[in-house]
């Protein structure tokens, strides 16, 4: 991204509150998904992350979600006990433990995805909104945020 100076005086504050409101509403959506799946919000988030990167390592999940590795490990252990994920040692390096979804975990993901599809149906109530445009905008916004984070590290 090129460094651009489009921001007016109050845009920084408006952007902050827009992101904050987006985060709050996303947490409410996670509450709905967690209730539907009979899991906690963090468990749903971790399951979705494992689904996205199946298989993946605990430290990668923790880093991607901005969670403490110890807490992530405990939650993964619980998900393993519930039968949603399993741990598998890397054949080339036994120090590496990968997480992957079990068949039961994939069934739980299907429940979450079905609920997501029903929630996406609300977009049809807004004639001028195209979900693809929103996704493209969010992806661009995420690119900008990644750029900012990398510049400030």
């Amino acid at each position: 991204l090129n460094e651009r100076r489009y921001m007016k005086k109050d845009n920084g504050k408006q952007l902050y509150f827009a992101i904050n409101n987006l985060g709050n509403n996303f947490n409410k959506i996670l509450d709905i998904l967690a209730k539907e799946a009979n899991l906690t919000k963090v468990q749903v988030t971790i399951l979705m992350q494992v689904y996205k990167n199946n298989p993946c390592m605990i430290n990668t999940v923790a880093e991607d979600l901005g969670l403490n590795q110890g807490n992530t490990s405990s939650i993964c252990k619980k998900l393993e006990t519930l039968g949603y994920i399993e741990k598998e040692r890397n054949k080339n390096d036994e120090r590496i433990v990968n997480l992957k979804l079990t068949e039961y975990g994939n069934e739980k993901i299907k429940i979450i995805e079905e609920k997501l599809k029903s929630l996406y149906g609300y977009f049809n109530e807004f004639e001028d909104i195209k979900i693809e445009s929103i996704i493209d905008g969010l992806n661009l916004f995420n690119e900008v945020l990644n750029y900012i984070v990398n510049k400030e590290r």
Side-chain angles (χ1 to χ4, degrees), residues 13-23:
K13 181 170 65 174
Q14 289 175 352
L15 187 58
Y16 170 82
F17 287 114
I19 293 168
N20 188 49
N21 290 336
L22 184 66

Side-chain angles (χ1 to χ4, degrees), residues 2 8-9 12-13 25-26 32 39 43 51 55 71 74 86 102 112 115 120 122 127-128 138 144-145 148:
N2 295 329
K8 294 181 183 170
K9 196 177 209 178
K13 181 170 65 174
N25 283 322
F26 181 71
I32 293 167
L39 296 169
Q43 287 172 331
Y51 171 65
N71 291 343
S74 297
E86 61 186 5
T102 63
I112 294 167
K115 187 61 180 179
Y120 290 150
Y122 290 113
E127 292 177 21
D128 296 338
L138 287 171
V144 171
L145 292 178
I148 292 168

Side-chain angles (χ1 to χ4, degrees), residues 7 20 23-24 27 29 39 41 47 50 52 57 59 71 76 79 91 105 109 126-127 132 134 140 145-146:
M7 298 206 37
N20 188 49
N24 289 337
N27 272 320
I29 295 293
L39 296 169
K41 288 190 293 192
L47 266 185
V50 173
K52 175 185 166 195
M57 296 182 297
N59 63 333
N71 291 343
C76 287
L79 289 169
K91 290 176 178 70
I109 289 293
F126 301 90
E127 292 177 21
E132 292 83 10
I134 292 171
L140 177 60
L145 292 178
N146 280 331

Side-chain angles (χ1 to χ4, degrees), residues 54-114:
N54 201 17
C56 58
M57 296 182 297
I58 290 175
N59 63 333
T60 304
V61 171
E63 185 177 312
D64 288 350
L65 298 177
L67 300 173
N68 172 290
Q69 189 168 339
N71 291 343
T72 304
S73 183
S74 297
I75 296 164
C76 287
K77 190 172 289 218
K78 175 72 173 173
L79 289 169
E80 183 180 27
T81 301
L82 292 170
Y84 300 127
I85 61 174
E86 61 186 5
K87 295 177 183 173
E88 183 176 84
R89 293 220 177 262
N90 184 305
K91 290 176 178 70
N92 297 325
D93 186 345
E94 291 202 8
R95 295 172 295 172
I96 298 173
V97 179
N98 289 316
L99 302 173
K100 66 182 206 174
L101 292 175
T102 63
E103 187 175 324
Y104 191 47
N106 279 310
E107 289 172 18
K108 191 59 85 168
I109 289 293
K110 286 179 187 168
I111 291 168
I112 294 167
E113 285 185 325
E114 284 303 314

